[in-house]
């Protein structure tokens, strides 16, 4: 392995670690105040003064910069699967924080998500052949993204628990997938020296949509565990990017049938892993016994039944 490839590997691994830990810190900060609730604007502004949330957001930003930096030294097919390790980092860090053991179900679902997302992103990057985009196509892409966000936002608003978590996380992934397409188009225009194809309007739209993605992701954190949020984000991002390529940019005609079926199989594997991961997180023991223990330590009065049991044991 060459020096540049080693550098890319280290940068990507560091980026995945920071993204995973950043998601955990953000999730912890959001759920402390907004557990299971919709995050209102006032609460979101309050998070801007929360040191733990700011640390998490900073970690995600730095992790993303390192990930994109790694792409400067190695192909997407090498770097993108490494970025998927953020899911594993978040899962392991969450288990350590909560002092719980990873179950066989959690480990199997984690493997399914990592292999599925890693395989999908590698295949998508290998078969992507974006050329240019017309103004009409740019409008079509914006409409598709807008409709997806409206539908997912509605599902997240009326849903509860993991349904809300997955819907809002998917919404954040839609924005990042859209941004990935725009950045790819902009880089291609610069590389070819053809600035007439530079997607100025789409790039402005992608930048303006970042606050929407941040809002969606905080809603997801308020309703579900951090590894499920990261898993959904990591899957939906490339799915939306390649989906836009197929539907709006005509890439589907340039992709072989075998590659298409392989991408679909990887997507289904990752989706099944996310569902299983969600269920394993939902079914694991809650923190209620710990809370009860803390209440007893704090000297809260016992119930009549507890006093009777204590009296019986004293006999």
């Amino acid at each position: 392995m060459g020096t540049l490839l080693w550098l890319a590997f280290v940068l990507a691994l560091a980026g995945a670690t920071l993204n995973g830990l950043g998601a955990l810190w953000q999730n912890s900060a959001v759920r402390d105040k907004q557990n299971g609730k919709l995050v209102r604007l006032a609460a979101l502004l309050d998070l801007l003064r929360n040191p733990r949330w700011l640390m998490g957001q900073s970690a995600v930003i730095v992790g993303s910069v390192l990930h994109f930096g790694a792409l400067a030294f190695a192909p997407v097919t090498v770097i993108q699967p490494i970025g998927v390790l953020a899911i594993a980092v978040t899962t392991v860090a969450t288990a350590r924080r909560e002092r719980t053991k990873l179950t066989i179900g959690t480990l199997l679902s984690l493997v399914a998500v990592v292999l599925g997302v890693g395989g999908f992103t590698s295949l998508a990057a290998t078969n992507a052949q974006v050329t240019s985009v017309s103004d009409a196509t740019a409008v079509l892409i914006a409409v598709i993204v807008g409709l997806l966000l409206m539908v997912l936002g509605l599902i997240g608003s009326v849903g509860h628990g993991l349904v809300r978590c997955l819907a809002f996380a998917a919404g954040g992934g839609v924005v990042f997938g859209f941004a990935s397409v725009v950045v790819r188009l902009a880089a291609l225009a610069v590389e070819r020296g053809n600035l007439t194809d530079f997607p100025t309007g789409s790039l402005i739209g992608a930048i303006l949509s970042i606050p929407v993605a941040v809002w969606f992701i905080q809603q997801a954190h308020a309703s579900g565990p951090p590894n499920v949020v990261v898993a959904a984000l990591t899957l939906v991002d490339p799915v939306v990017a390649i989906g836009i390529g197929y539907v709006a940019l005509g890439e589907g005609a340039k992709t072989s049938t075998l590659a298409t079926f392989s991408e679909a199989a990887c997507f289904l594997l990752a989706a099944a892993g996310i569902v299983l991961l969600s269920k394993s997180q939902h079914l694991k023991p809650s923190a209620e016994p710990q809370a009860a223990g803390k209440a007893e330590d704090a000297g809260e009065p016992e119930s009549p039944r507890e006093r009777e049991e204590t009296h019986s044991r004293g006999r």
Side-chain angles (χ1 to χ4, degrees):
M1 193 184 300
T3 304
L4 291 181
L5 200 56
W6 270 113
L7 176 60
F9 178 81
V10 171
L11 289 175
L13 189 59
T17 302
L18 285 175
N19 281 327
L21 293 176
L24 176 62
W25 294 332
Q26 279 190 317
N27 184 276
S28 175
V30 173
R31 300 197 77 176
D32 275 352
K33 301 288 185 181
Q34 300 290 319
N35 193 3
K37 303 176 183 177
L38 283 173
V39 182
R40 307 296 180 185
L41 180 59
L44 188 59
L45 293 175
D46 188 56
L47 287 173
L48 296 175
R49 298 190 294 269
N50 187 309
R52 196 189 324 157
W53 186 87
L54 291 174
M55 184 171 64
Q57 186 66 33
S58 299
V60 170
I61 292 173
V62 174
S64 299
V65 170
L66 291 176
H67 180 79
F68 285 119
L71 291 172
F73 303 109
V76 176
T77 51
V78 175
I79 299 304
Q80 201 67 29
I82 298 175
V84 178
L85 292 177
I87 305 169
V89 171
T90 307
T91 302
V92 173
T94 301
R96 289 181 62 85
R97 184 191 66 177
E98 297 179 356
R99 297 180 180 178
T100 58
K101 292 183 179 180
L102 295 176
T103 64
I104 297 297
T106 299
L107 291 174
L108 289 177
S109 60
L110 187 60
V111 170
V113 173
V114 171
L115 291 180
V117 176
F120 183 91
T121 52
S122 295
L123 288 166
T126 302
N127 292 282
Q129 300 178 28
V130 176
T131 53
S132 61
V133 57
S134 64
D135 291 339
T137 302
V139 172
L140 175 61
I141 293 174
V143 170
I144 293 173
V145 170
L147 288 175
L148 285 173
L149 289 177
M150 287 176 60
V151 171
L152 291 170
L154 179 61
I155 293 173
S157 298
V158 300
H160 299 282
L162 288 170
V163 172
R164 175 179 290 174
C165 172
L166 292 173
F168 279 123
V174 167
V175 174
F176 289 131
F178 167 61
S180 298
V181 172
V182 173
V183 170
R184 199 166 66 191
L185 290 169
L188 188 62
V190 172
E191 180 184 333
R192 295 183 175 180
N194 186 8
L195 296 183
T196 56
D197 287 337
F198 192 85
T200 304
S202 298
L203 188 60
I204 293 174
I207 294 173
L208 293 177
S209 66
I210 295 299
V212 178
V214 173
W215 185 80
F216 267 68
I217 293 170
Q218 304 318 307
Q219 305 295 344
H221 278 310
S223 300
N227 51 350
V228 173
V229 176
V230 174
L233 273 170
T234 309
L235 176 61
V236 174
D237 179 345
V239 167
V240 169
I242 198 64
I244 290 175
Y246 277 14
V247 175
L249 303 179
E251 290 183 7
K254 303 174 184 178
T255 303
S256 68
T257 303
L258 178 60
T260 301
F261 277 110
S262 299
E263 289 173 3
C266 288
F267 169 78
L268 292 174
L269 177 63
I274 291 176
V275 172
L276 292 174
L277 188 63
S278 302
K279 288 184 176 180
S280 67
Q281 294 295 306
H282 182 66
L283 294 175
K284 74 181 180 181
S286 66
E288 289 178 1
Q290 296 178 4
K294 289 180 180 178
E296 290 176 7
D297 292 340
E300 289 187 331
E302 294 179 321
S303 66
R305 182 178 178 182
E306 288 173 335
R307 284 197 297 268
E308 182 179 346
E309 290 176 353
T310 303
H311 182 65
S312 298
R313 286 195 300 268
R315 295 175 185 174

